[in-house]
Amino acid sequence: MCTHKTNPNQLEQMMDMIDEQIALEYRWVHKLAHTAADEGFAAASEKLHAAQILLADVRAALAEAKASLETAAESAAETTVRLV
């Protein structure tokens, strides 16, 4: 269903794509953090773990946005039109 000239299903799909990309980046940052730690770069490893936490926060925010989009779409679906 389209509301405000935007298809909520398309928005949801785009959010899913972004979430998948962030999940991939999360895994890479995790690997880099451990590689840095293994090579003795403690400060870099610490910063990479901090970045990993921020990426987890991004994914949580995307999940919240997706949930609010679904709620808004359900509200719009409940609208009824009557012929007068």
Side-chain angles (χ1 to χ4, degrees), residues 58-79:
V58 169
R59 293 191 72 204
L62 284 169
E64 290 174 11
K66 189 174 169 184
S68 67
L69 178 67
E70 290 170 355
T71 301
E74 288 171 4
S75 296
E78 293 175 5
T79 304

Side-chain angles (χ1 to χ4, degrees), residues 5-83:
K5 300 180 184 176
T6 302
N7 186 329
N9 292 331
Q10 288 176 329
L11 283 175
E12 187 176 339
Q13 288 174 349
M14 288 186 279
M15 285 184 212
D16 287 339
M17 288 176 15
I18 293 168
D19 184 54
E20 290 172 11
Q21 182 64 41
I22 298 298
L24 176 64
E25 302 305 332
Y26 179 92
R27 288 190 299 274
W28 274 106
V29 169
H30 180 77
K31 288 179 182 185
L32 284 175
H34 285 288
T35 300
D38 292 345
E39 295 298 322
F41 302 115
S45 176
E46 182 181 324
K47 294 294 183 182
L48 287 165
H49 279 295
Q52 188 179 12
I53 292 168
L54 293 172
L55 289 170
D57 292 344
V58 169
R59 293 191 72 204
L62 284 169
E64 290 174 11
K66 189 174 169 184
S68 67
L69 178 67
E70 290 170 355
T71 301
E74 288 171 4
S75 296
E78 293 175 5
T79 304
T80 58
V81 177
R82 295 186 182 144
L83 182 60

